[in-house]
């Protein structure tokens, strides 16, 4: 399961079914799974924060094509477990 936390254009993915509201619940995320997601996304040309405890940002510099390419890359990622 993936929990997505966001405020405006800032977001963080946690690989957990637990709602993430603080550090203790953030630690329930599977860091190995995040690491694998990060590596595969990077191989597909999408740069994310290397730690699951960091956030990512979208901006007006990102085009619709950039966002579509990111979503397409995420669909290609294969995670075990």
């Amino acid at each position: 399961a993936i929990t997505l936390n966001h405020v405006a254009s800032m977001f963080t993915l946690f690989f957990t079914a637990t709602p993430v509201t603080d550090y203790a619940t953030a630690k329930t995320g599977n860091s190995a799974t995040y690491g694998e997601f990060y590596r595969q996304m990077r191989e597909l040309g999408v740069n994310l924060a290397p730690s699951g405890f960091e956030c990512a940002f979208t901006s007006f510099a990102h085009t619709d094509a950039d966002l579509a390419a990111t979503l397409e890359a995420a669909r290609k990622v294969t995670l075990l477990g």
Side-chain angles (χ1 to χ4, degrees):
I2 297 174
T3 297
L4 172 69
N5 285 10
H6 69 91
V7 174
S9 67
M10 178 176 61
F11 66 93
T12 304
L13 295 172
F14 297 95
F15 287 88
T16 181
T18 303
V20 176
T21 58
D22 55 21
Y23 180 65
T25 54
K27 291 192 321 182
T28 67
N30 187 322
S31 59
T33 300
Y34 181 87
E36 184 58 28
F37 179 76
Y38 164 79
R39 284 186 289 281
Q40 289 186 46
M41 290 292 281
R42 187 181 63 205
E43 288 173 8
L44 293 167
V46 177
N47 295 312
L48 298 171
S51 168
F53 294 99
E54 298 178 70
C55 61
F57 299 86
T58 58
S59 74
F60 289 118
H62 294 101
T63 65
D64 288 345
D66 293 329
L67 299 176
T70 300
L71 291 174
E72 184 59 30
R75 289 182 186 104
K76 292 179 180 177
V77 169
T78 303
L79 298 174
L80 301 176

